[in-house]
Each structure stands twice: as C-alpha cells, then as structure tokens.
Amino acid sequence: MQDQSRKRHIAKAITWRIVGTIDTIVLSWIITGNPLTGLKIGLAEVVSKMVLYYIHERVWFKINLSKKGIVRESRKRHIAKTFTWRGVGTLDTMLLSWLVTGNPLTGLKIGLSELLTKMILYYLHERVWYRTNYGLKNRVK
C-alpha cells in the first residue's frame, strides 16, 4: 500500500500544480498588469509547491491511517485538507510574489486573492481524486 499511495500522491501533486499554476499566473497577471510577471511568479511556484504539496499529502496520509491500514475519506476531511493546504500555499505565494516583484504589498495582494479561488479549485480537485482508485487498494467510503 505504501508504494501505491506514493504514486497516487505524486500524481495528485502534479495535477494540482497544473491547476494551481494556471490560477497563480492569471491572478498575478491581473494584479500586476504584466503577463511576464505572472509567468515568473507562476513558474517560481512550480518546484516549491510540488515539494510542499507532496509533504502535505504524506502528512495527511499518515494522520488518516486506521489501525487496519485502510484510508478513510470524507467531505469533512477534504475541507480540512483544503484549509491546511491553503495556509501553506498562500504563505509560499506571498513570499515568492514579494521576491519576484520586490514589493511586499504586491505579494500580499496576490496571496490573498488566491485564498478563495484556490480553496474552491482545491476542493474540486480533491473530489475528483476521491472518485478514482488510482494508488489505492482499500478504501472505506
């Protein structure tokens, strides 16, 4: 189960990063008025967010293992994961935006603008992944 769950978490990290990067690029472009700045911020996030997301998935996986090794999923769990991930992701976005633009206020604006869009997108991403059994041998619904 360990190897399968790792494959699943890697696949989830990649698909989420695609969705998240597109959102960051568009929001950064809108806020700064510069598409190149949006691309720089979005691309800077790719590596940091993939690593952070993988770690987040592993932590939640270890928290959720039952005594029998069966992963339990629920809407409440997805909402809790959404909020914890958004906290980590928003801090990362704010710091990277500040570094790319040189302006802490711009970093704050971009990070805060992502709060709503990313939570909605992340929740939907979790629900889509919940419907697939890729990387799971046993699951209790």
Side-chain angles (χ1 to χ4, degrees):
M1 182 157 170
Q2 192 77 347
D3 288 338
Q4 289 297 316
S5 70
R6 287 185 194 280
K7 289 177 187 176
R8 179 180 179 86
H9 298 155
I10 290 169
K12 282 180 74 175
I14 291 168
T15 58
W16 171 245
R17 187 54 0 230
I18 291 167
V19 171
T21 298
I22 291 168
D23 185 56
T24 298
I25 290 169
V26 170
L27 289 173
S28 299
W29 176 1
I30 290 168
I31 289 168
T32 65
N34 185 337
L36 185 58
T37 301
L39 279 172
K40 286 179 184 177
I41 293 167
L43 294 176
E45 281 192 343
V46 171
V47 175
S48 67
K49 289 285 194 327
M50 294 243 336
V51 170
L52 291 170
Y53 185 84
Y54 178 79
I55 292 167
H56 185 261
E57 280 294 306
R58 296 305 302 162
V59 167
W60 272 94
F61 179 74
K62 294 202 183 277
I63 287 171
N64 197 49
L65 280 179
S66 72
K67 293 176 185 173
K68 295 180 182 178
I70 298 171
V71 176
R72 298 182 188 275
E73 298 286 340
S74 71
R75 291 183 193 272
K76 289 178 186 176
R77 175 182 166 81
H78 296 153
I79 290 170
K81 282 179 71 176
T82 298
F83 279 95
T84 59
W85 171 246
R86 193 64 257 134
V88 171
T90 297
L91 288 174
D92 186 55
T93 297
M94 290 179 358
L95 290 172
L96 289 173
S97 298
W98 178 2
L99 290 172
V100 169
T101 65
N103 184 337
L105 186 57
T106 300
L108 186 64
K109 286 179 186 177
I110 293 169
L112 292 177
S113 69
E114 284 188 345
L115 278 173
L116 183 61
T117 60
K118 287 275 188 351
M119 282 200 290
I120 292 167
L121 291 170
Y122 184 82
Y123 179 80
L124 294 172
H125 181 262
E126 281 294 305
R127 295 305 299 161
V128 168
W129 270 97
Y130 179 65
R131 295 178 185 272
T132 181
N133 287 327
Y134 179 78
L136 294 178
K137 289 186 180 181
N138 300 315
R139 174 172 56 194
V140 176
K141 291 185 181 182

